[in-house]
Amino acid sequence: MTTTRHFGSDIPHLPTDEPYGKRDVPRGPAPLYLRALAGLLDLGIVAIPLVLGWYIVDSLRDDNGGGEADRVVFGGAAVAIALGLALWNRGFREGNTGQSSGKGWVGLVTRDTHTGDAIGPTRSLQRAFRRTGTEVVRESTATAEGFAVREKDVSVAAIRRRRLIGLGVLVILLGLVLLASVAVGARPLSFAEIFHALVDPDGSQTDIIVRTLRGPRTVLGLVVGMALGVAGALIQGHTRNPLADAGLLGLNAGAAFLVVLSMYLFGFSAPSEYLWFAFAGSFAASVIVFGLSSIGNGAASPLSLALAGAAVAFFLQAMTNAIIIVDQSSLDSYRFWVVGSVAGRGFDVLWQVLPFLVIGLILALVSTPGLNVLSLGEDVARSLGTNIAASRALGIVAITLLTGAATAACGPIAFIGLVVPHVARAITGPDYRWLVPYAGLLGGVMLVTADVIGRVVVRPGELQVGIVLAVFGAPFFIALVRRRKLASL
């Protein structure tokens, strides 16, 4: 029971050695109504994805143009998200900190009855069936009685184990997303039709859809997403700027300028026609930015790279605007390219950019040890014998190949290079040997998922992946930044 001692005329004066206005800390278990309220809030967190999933599945009935695969994909995704939220909220969060989201909002703590500390994820998950040895108290009670959260295991073995588990989960998630990309589209397909098209094609309509449309589109989305994610991690590492992406180094502006120039001079409008112009534009912009940033002291610093990239990007964007203002046909073609999309691209586009993407990924992985040393600061790196100019050059070449080829294939796609490195860094820490592969897998998952969502939200039409990423990526990035305080690099 809470008893508050107020200072007033109707209350006898206390001895001078007792503190005035002191609130007595309640003891014992929390009231039932607070525990019930916390339980309802936690239940609501799990119910939201299930309700949304049910509405989506219901809207994908056969008479609405939906298919079996569509319903299984979105229904399964809703259930998986709900289970993941429950596992995180009532398992890891409550077990390690004592508070699920609901208990945190109403000020309750789950603790061990005997030790008074957090109970751990396993016991927290078991509380739904066995509550022996645990209790729920008010937050003030737990704090006054010395409640302690579980410290995160930061040993080398524990970090390596978390990274390997995360990598395995990402690979499984990527497999499911790729399957969804093949299954979901304007033409409903069953799993039998998909299996037939992949294993024993005979030239039927569904075989053509899977093998010539959705298959190439899925593979292209995967490799482009991986390239953008890896390039984003390298750009943020080399510029030491957590808000850096391909736009900051002027790579997108260089590609856009030469694409518009090819449309204006030669009338190109298909991706396979202006692909090489986009790649050449990104490459030229990276050479100019790296050259300008190296003038003076002979080495490109993070600040000089960012400044040179911003200057080149503004100049090239102005030249692009000058062309599309005077030529209406160039504007019409450019506005479809600049959104960014994997639709309408087949294996012909993929084969042209694939060698550059593979070489860029190999160079990116090779450059990660040097980037780890550079992240300690140029003075420290120099004292350790690192050739800073060579490390920067290797990184810039990898960034140019990855970003240039990805932009040439699908247009400038934002948010992946900006968001993915932060998510990867939250899982792996600052070690670029792990961060870069994680960023690649996360980028592939993110782009293919956005493409699948774009095929469904405006059925029977499609929404370009660049628009989907902007709509969903911006709020996600804002929430990520606010939660993690945007760790400095």
Side-chain angles (χ1 to χ4, degrees), residues 271-290:
S272 58
E273 293 175 335
Y274 51 68
L275 185 147
W276 289 101
F277 285 90
F279 188 83
S282 294
F283 181 76
S286 68
V287 171
I288 295 172
V289 169
F290 191 62

Side-chain angles (χ1 to χ4, degrees), residues 44-62:
I45 293 175
V46 178
I48 290 174
L50 291 177
V51 173
L52 292 176
W54 183 84
Y55 275 111
I56 293 174
V57 170
D58 184 64
S59 67
L60 292 174
R61 299 188 304 270
D62 290 338

Side-chain angles (χ1 to χ4, degrees), residues 94-95 110-112 117-124 127 133-134 150:
E94 185 173 1
T110 302
R111 67 178 184 179
D112 186 276
D117 298 331
I119 60 178
T122 304
R123 291 181 65 193
S124 182
R127 285 195 77 247
T134 64
R150 289 172 68 94

Side-chain angles (χ1 to χ4, degrees), residues 12-24:
H13 289 287
L14 299 173
T16 55
D17 57 346
E18 288 192 27
Y20 292 100
K22 179 180 178 182
R23 177 181 290 274
D24 292 335

Side-chain angles (χ1 to χ4, degrees), residues 247-295:
L248 184 68
L249 292 184
L251 303 182
N252 288 343
F257 176 64
L258 281 199
V259 166
V260 170
L261 199 62
S262 71
M263 294 172 178
Y264 177 67
L265 295 177
F266 308 109
F268 291 161
S269 58
S272 58
E273 293 175 335
Y274 51 68
L275 185 147
W276 289 101
F277 285 90
F279 188 83
S282 294
F283 181 76
S286 68
V287 171
I288 295 172
V289 169
F290 191 62
L292 289 176
S293 63
S294 302
I295 294 176

Side-chain angles (χ1 to χ4, degrees), residues 202-472:
D202 57 7
S204 64
Q205 183 187 30
T206 55
D207 293 348
I208 294 174
I209 291 174
V210 172
R211 298 184 71 86
T212 63
L213 295 177
R214 296 186 189 175
R217 180 173 180 168
T218 300
V219 177
L220 184 63
L222 170 65
V223 296
V224 167
M226 293 177 68
L228 293 175
V230 170
L234 294 183
I235 291 172
Q236 292 183 6
H238 279 284
T239 60
R240 304 287 297 277
N241 186 338
L243 296 178
D245 64 355
L248 184 68
L249 292 184
L251 303 182
N252 288 343
F257 176 64
L258 281 199
V259 166
V260 170
L261 199 62
S262 71
M263 294 172 178
Y264 177 67
L265 295 177
F266 308 109
F268 291 161
S269 58
S272 58
E273 293 175 335
Y274 51 68
L275 185 147
W276 289 101
F277 285 90
F279 188 83
S282 294
F283 181 76
S286 68
V287 171
I288 295 172
V289 169
F290 191 62
L292 289 176
S293 63
S294 302
I295 294 176
N297 56 9
S301 67
L303 180 60
S304 63
L305 274 173
L307 292 175
V312 171
F314 285 132
F315 174 76
L316 293 175
Q317 186 60 47
M319 295 297 101
T320 301
N321 292 336
I323 294 176
I324 61 178
I325 285 175
V326 300
D327 186 68
Q328 182 64 39
S329 61
S330 298
L331 173 61
D332 293 338
S333 301
Y334 172 72
R335 64 192 178 93
F336 286 105
W337 176 83
V338 77
V339 172
S341 174
V342 294
R345 275 76 167 174
F347 280 127
D348 56 333
V349 174
L350 175 64
W351 297 137
Q352 292 184 64
V353 300
L354 190 60
F356 301 100
L357 295 175
V358 172
I359 296 174
L361 288 173
I362 294 174
L363 293 180
L365 294 175
V366 171
S367 69
T368 52
L371 193 54
N372 274 343
V373 180
L374 286 177
S375 65
L376 301 175
E378 293 191 2
D379 293 336
V380 176
R382 193 176 291 108
S383 66
L384 294 174
T386 301
N387 188 331
I388 296 176
S391 298
R392 295 268 187 232
L394 182 61
I396 293 296
V397 171
I399 292 169
T400 302
L401 291 173
L402 294 171
T403 307
T407 306
C410 301
I413 296 177
F415 279 105
I416 289 183
L418 180 65
V419 175
V420 160
H422 291 284
V423 180
R425 192 173 291 108
I427 302 172
T428 67
D431 189 345
Y432 282 89
R433 295 172 302 175
W434 286 90
L435 195 155
V436 168
Y438 261 79
L441 290 175
L442 284 169
V445 170
M446 189 171 181
L447 196 147
V448 176
T449 303
D451 186 38
V452 173
I453 293 173
R455 300 179 207 173
V456 177
V457 293
V458 291
R459 291 170 74 100
E462 290 188 5
L463 203 60
Q464 285 88 346
V465 68
I467 299 175
V468 177
L469 285 170
V471 172
F472 291 95

